[in-house]
Amino acid sequence: MKFFVDTADTAEIRELAEAGLLDGVTTNPSLIMKAGRPITDVIAEICDVVSGPVSAEVAATDYDTMLKEGRKLAEIADNVAIKVPLTLDGLKACRTFANEGRMVNVTLCFSANQALLAAKAGAAFISPFIGRLDDINLDGMELIEEIRIIYDNYPNFETEILAASVRTPNHVKQAAMIGADVVTVPPQVLRSLIKHPLTDKGLEAFLADWKKAGQSIL
Ligand code: G3P
């Protein structure tokens, strides 16, 4: 499973990329707003650091403006994935971009049928939002399962399932067990995957014994 980080915080991205943990990055208008800098600058900086897909989302809702915005974002770097919302205009734009050989991430997916349509529109990625379904007492993980079954039924679909709106380490584990192709994770969740109290406790004990041993490896 590929790991993307869901942030526009370039300092975080640099650190996680240096640790070799990143296969890509996803951003959205809310994350760009938090970064407080022009989208073109932020995306260019991220693309300098990460060579995998970097999703940059259009803000327009009509097809013609989506095309203009998407093409402008795609000009920033070869690894930009144009992110479009799952609407009729978004799917139309997805098909046009895909025909032009551009990578598209179709976002705001909340049903298996929406995911089916995104695959038919030639999306490189479909982004089902797990956490937001859980928020309204539905089962986000069930959606990942359904999409996995549907995509596996049709091997000609090349769309990758990008599990998004991930809020907990358990979401990551379940998405991996189901076989999501990609998971995009906020930095704090990604960091929390590393931590285990028994790892900390065990390391503390080893270091104490090493001190008693009075040895040095170097
Ligand atoms: O990038 C889209 C998605 O991951 C948003 O997550 O937590 O705002 O629902 P969240």
Side-chain angles (χ1 to χ4, degrees), residues 6 26-28 31 83 107 129 132 164-167 184:
D6 197 26
T26 51
T27 67
N28 61 37
L31 295 170
K83 208 170 175 189
T107 189
F129 276 30
R132 292 192 194 185
S165 186
V166 162
R167 309 267 177 77
T184 188

Side-chain angles (χ1 to χ4, degrees), residues 11-82:
E12 282 277 18
I13 292 168
R14 271 178 206 285
E15 197 177 342
L16 294 166
E18 273 165 25
L21 290 173
L22 293 191
D23 299 302
V25 176
T26 51
T27 67
N28 61 37
S30 307
L31 295 170
I32 295 292
M33 182 267 293
K34 273 189 207 157
R37 295 162 54 208
I39 183 168
T40 44
D41 293 1
V42 177
I43 298 297
E45 195 179 328
I46 298 172
C47 289
D48 271 350
V49 177
V50 176
S51 58
V54 174
S55 290
E57 188 160 342
V58 299
T61 53
D62 67 284
Y63 172 74
D64 290 327
T65 320
M66 276 184 193
L67 287 192
K68 285 183 197 145
E69 289 184 355
R71 287 179 183 140
K72 182 168 177 183
L73 293 169
E75 264 169 30
I76 297 172
D78 289 342
N79 54 330
V80 168
I82 305 163

Side-chain angles (χ1 to χ4, degrees), residues 141-159:
M141 221 36 82
E142 199 175 283
L143 175 60
I144 304 290
E145 265 168 353
E146 289 173 352
I147 302 172
R148 183 72 282 158
I149 291 167
I150 291 170
Y151 282 9
D152 287 350
N153 281 344
Y154 301 99
N156 60 320
F157 285 164
E158 288 173 0
T159 307

